[in-house]
Amino acid sequence: MNLSAQASIQDHVRNFARDPELTGALVSVSITDIATGRTVGGHQTELACIPASTQKLITTAVAMDVLGPEHRFETQLVIMGEIAEGGVLNGDVYLVGGGDPSLGSPYFKGVLGLKSILGRWREKIRAAGIRRINGRIIGEGSYFGTHAAAGGWPWSDLGNYYGSGAYGLNIHENFYFLDLLQRSVEGTIPPVQRTRPVVPGLRLTNELRSGPRGSGDQAYIYGAPFGYDNHIRGTIPVGSGRFVVKGALPDPPLFAAQALCRHLEDGGISVSLPAESDRIQSSGRYASGRVLDTYSSPALSALIDRTNLRSNNLYAETLLREINKARGTEIYNLSSTKVLEEWLQSAGLPTGGTRFEDGSGLATRNFFSAAFMTRFLRYQAGRSRWRESIPVAGQTGSMKGFLKGTVAVGRLSAKSGSLGAARAYAGYVNRADGKELAFAIMVNNFTIESKQVRKKMLALMLELCRAEM
């Protein structure tokens, strides 16, 4: 079907859905006029599909409403015991996590990175007159309990940075860099050079192979929360340089304690016993201690920007758990999505035909329809600060590199989602004719390359900006 310049949005949706390269795929598309609620384009609008990371739009909206845009997470440095003559602390040092996902982030502008936050804590300990710790550094991570990763997350994701999970004490966004040395011959093993930062106790069995030039990162780390025996499988491209992938820290609270212990000793403050972590509610063993430092995260609104602009799973899962805590959910059930469903229902958005298994969209058994998403987007249309977190075509986040030089730049905002054979986009269009649209485009079970599906979806999104309504 050849479409003229006067073709309607519905014509373009129909053409998209009938694309022979999407034969056999599940396609759900909904485009709604925000002012009137009228559907101006759609295909199988009520068909439930895997939404992937577009689900973060829902989690962040609930977080903004329940927690408030100025909500902050706190991390405390606490000492137990007395400081004796000579600056000897006869007791332990606690890093008490409050769930901050940005603590020690290497990417979050304005946040102290790992080395800087460790340096801050060392100076607080030094300023207290402590020169030797006759005890341990303890990473107190019981704030969110031990259910760091959602139950529906695939095994192949858990050892990688995007499957790291949310802990009571997060650090360095719960990942490490893994440096690999490329080889020039396909099929050969690219050696592991190092991890950055050092992860004590991590054991990596290297089953990688060198793939074709230009084949990209096809390496997967297989591990689990609190597990230190990991396998790395798949391929990285042949070459002559260093190739970097990112893995999930097995136990972020323990890593934080170990990192501080090393930093103290490098600065001349000795620690007599090995670092450890506390994963279970400790009944406030540190409650009677002396607080040396309280470090606050950026405001929730800024954390939500990183969640949606960079599609960060850790931040989304942290938000879900914090929402549950605010609503009084028991600690063993903080990964429950019931709180999301209740909020949607209270907003007049019926959840029949939907399923939520996590806060980030990484689980493979999340599903809802494009029409459900546009109903939600229409409800949220007036929340301007939340909308600022959605990537803008040609300008910000994951949409910065797309639709450049087109009418969509600055007018179309969209959250992307990609998970195996599932791709989705959802967001808003402010058209030149003054009309404002909410849209959701979802494609599941496709057999062509994901980037080809993305290209087709971007072309449809462009037409939402310029086609006849």
Side-chain angles (χ1 to χ4, degrees):
M1 178 180 177
N2 293 321
L3 298 179
S4 68
Q6 286 73 43
S8 70
I9 286 176
Q10 180 58 41
D11 290 331
H12 288 283
V13 170
R14 187 180 300 112
N15 197 54
F16 173 83
R18 291 177 177 176
D19 190 319
E21 291 191 313
L22 297 181
T23 298
L26 301 179
V27 178
S28 183
V29 181
S30 177
I31 301 101
T32 302
D33 184 318
I34 287 176
T36 66
R38 180 174 69 92
T39 298
V40 299
H43 177 79
Q44 298 186 121
T45 60
E46 299 291 347
L47 178 68
C49 292
I50 296 170
S53 283
T54 61
Q55 187 164 315
K56 291 181 174 71
L57 294 174
I58 296 172
T59 303
T60 53
V62 179
M64 282 283 273
D65 186 51
V66 173
L67 304 174
E70 293 303 316
H71 179 86
R72 297 172 191 268
F73 297 83
E74 291 186 345
T75 307
Q76 291 189 320
L77 177 69
V78 179
I79 61 171
M80 293 290 294
E82 299 296 326
I83 302 174
E85 185 178 350
V88 177
L89 172 65
N90 290 309
D92 299 320
V93 175
Y94 282 83
L95 288 176
V96 183
D100 181 2
S102 68
L103 185 69
S105 169
Y107 298 127
F108 203 126
K109 187 176 180 180
V111 166
L112 295 179
L114 179 60
K115 186 175 180 180
S116 295
I117 192 64
L118 293 174
R120 170 177 166 140
W121 290 332
R122 184 172 68 187
E123 291 313 305
K124 294 291 183 180
I125 290 170
R126 193 188 304 279
I130 299 170
R131 299 297 179 266
R132 171 179 167 78
I133 297 169
N134 189 21
R136 302 179 188 273
I137 311 297
I138 298 172
E140 218 293 330
S142 67
Y143 183 74
F144 286 151
T146 62
H147 197 180
W153 285 7
W155 165 240
S156 58
D157 290 340
L158 294 178
N160 301 283
Y161 73 97
Y162 52 85
S164 61
Y167 297 77
L169 177 58
N170 304 298
I171 190 80
H172 198 256
E173 296 195 352
N174 294 352
F175 79 88
Y176 61 88
F177 296 100
L178 177 61
D179 294 341
L180 303 163
L181 298 177
Q182 290 177 295
R183 288 294 182 249
S184 59
V185 179
E186 288 186 33
T188 56
I189 299 175
V192 171
Q193 184 184 36
R194 60 178 176 176
T195 66
R196 292 179 287 123
V198 173
V199 184
L202 180 65
R203 295 173 291 276
L204 280 170
T205 299
N206 184 7
E207 300 177 45
L208 276 177
R209 292 295 183 269
S210 299
R213 189 174 301 277
S215 56
D217 180 4
Q218 302 298 322
Y220 292 88
I221 300 171
Y222 290 81
F226 310 117
Y228 281 79
D229 284 309
N230 289 192
H231 291 249
I232 179 166
R233 300 174 179 135
T235 65
I236 63 170
V238 295
S240 57
R242 184 179 70 182
F243 194 89
V244 182
V245 300
K246 294 185 288 186
L249 291 171
D251 187 342
L254 176 59
F255 172 82
Q258 292 169 329
L260 179 57
C261 189
R262 290 196 306 273
H263 206 72
L264 290 173
E265 291 180 336
D266 289 346
I269 300 174
S270 63
V271 183
S272 65
L273 296 173
E276 65 178 39
S277 64
D278 193 344
R279 305 172 187 170
I280 310 297
Q281 279 185 303
S282 58
S283 301
R285 286 192 300 174
Y286 54 84
S288 61
R290 174 182 167 191
V291 178
L292 298 186
D293 186 45
T294 299
Y295 179 82
S296 295
S297 75
L300 185 86
S301 55
L303 300 177
I304 281 175
D305 288 341
R306 178 145 179 78
T307 307
N308 286 333
L309 289 170
R310 298 298 176 185
S311 203
N312 191 291
N313 294 332
L314 162 63
Y315 286 63
E317 294 303 324
T318 295
L319 295 177
L320 174 62
R321 286 154 178 76
E322 188 74 350
I323 294 164
N324 271 308
K325 283 188 77 77
R327 288 288 174 89
T329 305
E330 295 286 350
I331 196 162
Y332 65 84
N333 205 29
L334 293 181
S335 63
S336 169
T337 59
K338 185 178 179 181
V339 68
L340 302 182
E341 296 173 33
E342 290 174 344
W343 184 91
L344 290 163
Q345 290 164 2
S346 70
L349 299 166
T351 55
T354 69
R355 183 185 180 97
F356 301 93
E357 288 211 337
D358 64 5
S360 61
L362 187 60
T364 58
R365 293 192 295 274
N366 295 306
F367 56 77
F368 50 77
S369 68
F372 176 84
M373 175 56 84
T374 53
R375 287 192 288 268
F376 160 77
L377 291 170
R378 187 169 179 240
Y379 176 83
Q380 282 291 115
R383 278 73 171 177
S384 57
R385 181 60 187 90
W386 171 80
R387 285 184 60 169
E388 289 175 15
S389 72
I390 305 175
V392 179
Q395 294 183 349
T396 61
S398 57
M399 289 294 292
K400 186 175 183 179
F402 298 116
L403 299 176
K404 287 186 173 183
T406 72
V407 69
V409 174
R411 290 190 175 277
L412 182 142
S413 59
K415 178 73 191 76
S416 63
S418 181
L419 182 65
R423 260 203 175 275
Y425 281 94
Y428 298 96
V429 177
N430 289 300
R431 290 165 52 95
D433 61 9
K435 299 290 187 181
E436 187 177 21
L437 306 178
F439 71 90
I441 308 168
M442 309 171 78
V443 182
N444 287 186
N445 299 347
F446 53 82
T447 55
I448 59 176
E449 289 188 13
S450 185
K451 63 182 179 181
Q452 293 177 274
V453 178
R454 180 183 64 199
K455 183 177 179 180
K456 296 175 188 294
M457 298 172 89
L458 289 168
L460 177 56
M461 284 188 278
L462 178 58
E463 296 304 335
L464 302 185
C465 300
R466 65 187 185 187
E468 294 291 324
M469 288 180 58

